[in-house]
Amino acid sequence: MINVTKPFLPPRKEYDLYLDGIWERNWLTNNGPLVNDLELKLKDYLDLKHLLFVSNGTIALQIAIKAMELSGEIITTPFSYVATTSSIVWENCTPIFVDIDKNSFNIDASKIENSITEKTSAILATHVFGNPCNIDAIEAIAQKHELKIIYDAAHCFGSKYKGKSVMEYGDISTLSFHATKLYHTTEGGAVVSPKPELIEKMAFLRNFGHDGPDKFKSIGINGKNSEFHAAMGLANLKYADDIIKKRMDDHAIYNKWLNPLKLQTQFISKDVDFNHAYYPVVFNTEDDCKLILKELANREIYARRYFYPVLSSLNYVKKQSTPIADDISKRILCLPLYYQLNETEINMICRVILRYLNKEQG
Ligand SMILES: *Cc1c(COP(=O)(O)O)cnc(C)c1O
């Protein structure tokens, strides 16, 4: 069976060494030494000033919204994982969807201003599949209208924009280290900000608002993560370069097979060092997309409709029209991409796609 993704696991011995330390110290969670070590190493690897390790990428989004005390309307993208929208609603704000750009699959910055009202407090945009948004345009709009910016950077581990980590832009960026992501800590995530005052506030929010054992500075939640998760993160970090390199090689193999089909793929900005986290393809019709999904599944190969359905169609948001996102979402598949995937398997996947699309064409 080939799934769209398969978690990377480090050599068991390397993880076990960290476990030995946990057993010696008997310190399992609450900002332990492995969590601190992981935060330092992640900042170093990703070239970031500040980062806090949290329990997952969804809590990271909620903490970000809470930290900036956002209210009213938040402008966001309809083409992302559901957590991007659910976290807005969970924090009692209203998501206002702005359609995506048909080439980058990211929020179309040129359409944002039309959706700003006196209730707008922020823009929450996803760098879809690790491809950075139009950061300069979004920054200019936010500055002009005094809006905060949160970037959902769940796909961005290792992506750079204009030579700098993509997570250094905006007020806060959030990361997910879920098992299915390029780099993972089993469950986990992070909040990143260039602003020390926001990081300090988020550190309180992450830990129930505790200010010492008997004092509370603010409201808070349990957004901490454990020594076991940090151990997985430390063990995996050693392989992050290899994982990214392997993704890049796999992209080249897929491209060699599929480029002749002239299917639509994601346009990557020239200012980007891209992490190649996913391999999305947009078929010409939704029927093609469903046919390929079915034919692959018949051979126990499971691609995924990332992202489908569009978030503007969720039953807990006000209906809003996002025709470009609707259209892309109906025709897009992410093909399998993970460290253990081998060239023979990619060849097999591509042969299925070629056979069925060519048959249809003639
Ligand atoms: C995975 C993902 C999340 C959620 O992260 P979790 O760690 O699973 O909570 C949020 N946004 C995007 C874009 C994601 O892909």
Side-chain angles (χ1 to χ4, degrees):
M1 188 177 90
I2 301 175
N3 253 324
V4 66
T5 181
K6 189 176 199 168
F8 177 86
L9 280 170
R12 180 67 186 272
K13 279 209 182 82
E14 294 177 22
Y15 185 65
D16 283 349
L17 279 178
Y18 289 108
L19 295 191
D20 291 344
I22 296 177
W23 256 257
E24 265 164 42
R25 289 184 294 272
N26 210 328
W27 186 348
L28 309 189
T29 185
N30 286 358
N31 221 15
L34 295 182
V35 165
N36 281 320
D37 192 26
L38 179 65
E39 287 181 340
L40 287 173
K41 293 206 163 82
L42 284 172
K43 281 188 275 194
D44 185 50
Y45 183 84
L46 298 170
D47 200 12
L48 299 169
K49 284 193 234 21
H50 311 287
L51 169 149
L52 299 171
F53 184 42
V54 299
S55 28
N56 58 62
T58 307
I59 232 39
L61 284 164
Q62 291 177 208
I63 287 176
I65 294 169
K66 210 57 143 200
M68 296 195 285
E69 298 168 30
L70 301 181
S71 62
E73 298 175 351
I74 298 180
I75 288 177
T76 190
T77 175
F79 191 70
S80 182
Y81 185 61
V82 69
T84 315
T85 295
S86 66
S87 58
I88 295 175
V89 178
W90 196 279
E91 294 301 326
N92 287 319
C93 296
T94 306
I96 301 295
F97 295 97
V98 165
D99 211 350
I100 57 170
D101 173 78
K102 70 176 195 314
N103 300 311
S104 72
F105 309 160
N106 288 322
I107 194 166
D108 185 344
S110 73
K111 291 183 179 151
I112 290 178
E113 277 197 297
N114 271 341
S115 298
I116 295 176
T117 70
E118 68 276 14
K119 290 192 204 135
T120 311
S121 60
I123 299 166
L124 198 181
T126 302
H127 302 302
V128 175
F129 305 137
N131 182 35
C133 293
N134 189 342
I135 288 175
D136 294 341
I138 292 174
E139 244 163 44
I141 295 163
Q143 217 157 47
K144 180 167 157 203
H145 297 273
E146 294 181 17
L147 304 177
K148 306 289 188 197
I149 304 172
I150 300 173
Y151 287 119
D152 183 338
H155 303 163
C156 292
F157 195 90
S159 275
K160 286 190 174 157
Y161 184 69
K162 296 189 173 171
K164 194 162 108 171
S165 167
V166 71
M167 296 147 219
E168 285 283 302
Y169 297 89
D171 294 287
I172 299 174
S173 293
T174 63
L175 282 163
S176 167
F177 304 143
H178 183 257
T180 56
K181 304 295 204 268
L182 183 150
Y183 165 81
H184 78 90
T185 62
T186 316
E187 289 272 2
V191 286
V192 172
S193 175
K195 301 181 173 171
E197 66 280 7
L198 279 176
I199 288 291
E200 195 195 329
K201 201 161 169 189
M202 290 193 285
F204 282 107
L205 291 175
R206 172 177 69 165
N207 187 27
F208 306 100
H210 262 296
D211 188 9
D214 317 316
K215 241 175 84 193
F216 298 93
K217 190 179 164 90
S218 65
I219 191 171
I221 196 160
N222 184 356
K224 293 177 276 104
N225 214 332
S226 80
E227 292 291 278
F228 292 85
H229 293 81
M232 183 60 86
L234 286 164
N236 282 346
L237 192 56
K238 213 175 118 184
Y239 297 93
D241 283 342
D242 289 349
I243 292 169
I244 292 172
K245 169 76 171 57
K246 169 70 165 49
R247 289 284 214 279
M248 198 188 284
D249 295 345
D250 287 353
H251 263 246
I253 304 172
Y254 270 125
N255 285 342
K256 193 183 67 196
W257 281 96
L258 300 181
N259 281 355
L261 288 172
K262 299 206 164 17
L263 295 172
Q264 187 187 345
T265 49
Q266 188 179 33
F267 178 79
I268 310 298
S269 154
K270 68 175 182 345
D271 297 319
V272 179
D273 293 333
F274 189 46
N275 66 0
H276 299 84
Y278 298 86
Y279 195 88
V281 226
V282 183
F283 294 93
N284 293 331
T285 64
E286 185 175 14
D287 284 347
D288 279 357
C289 177
K290 285 181 172 163
L291 174 75
I292 298 299
L293 194 66
K294 192 180 102 214
E295 290 303 335
L296 289 173
N298 285 344
R299 292 158 182 82
E300 299 200 317
I301 301 166
Y302 301 102
R304 273 290 291 268
R305 302 187 80 181
Y306 283 146
F307 294 101
Y308 179 87
V310 287
L311 302 175
S312 46
S313 71
L314 287 167
N315 65 7
Y316 52 86
V317 304
K318 210 173 80 205
K319 271 238 162 314
Q320 292 163 61
S321 158
T322 54
I324 297 172
D326 290 12
D327 175 47
I328 301 270
S329 163
K330 283 184 183 136
R331 297 188 286 125
I332 195 166
L333 287 186
C334 279
L335 300 180
L337 198 64
Y338 50 87
Y339 191 75
Q340 308 89 319
L341 189 69
N342 64 42
E343 185 161 0
T344 315
E345 291 168 323
I346 300 180
N347 292 347
M348 187 165 80
I349 293 164
C350 292
R351 277 201 199 95
V352 174
I353 295 174
L354 283 168
R355 181 181 323 147
Y356 284 91
L357 289 189
N358 283 338
K359 192 187 280 173
E360 203 175 59
Q361 277 160 11

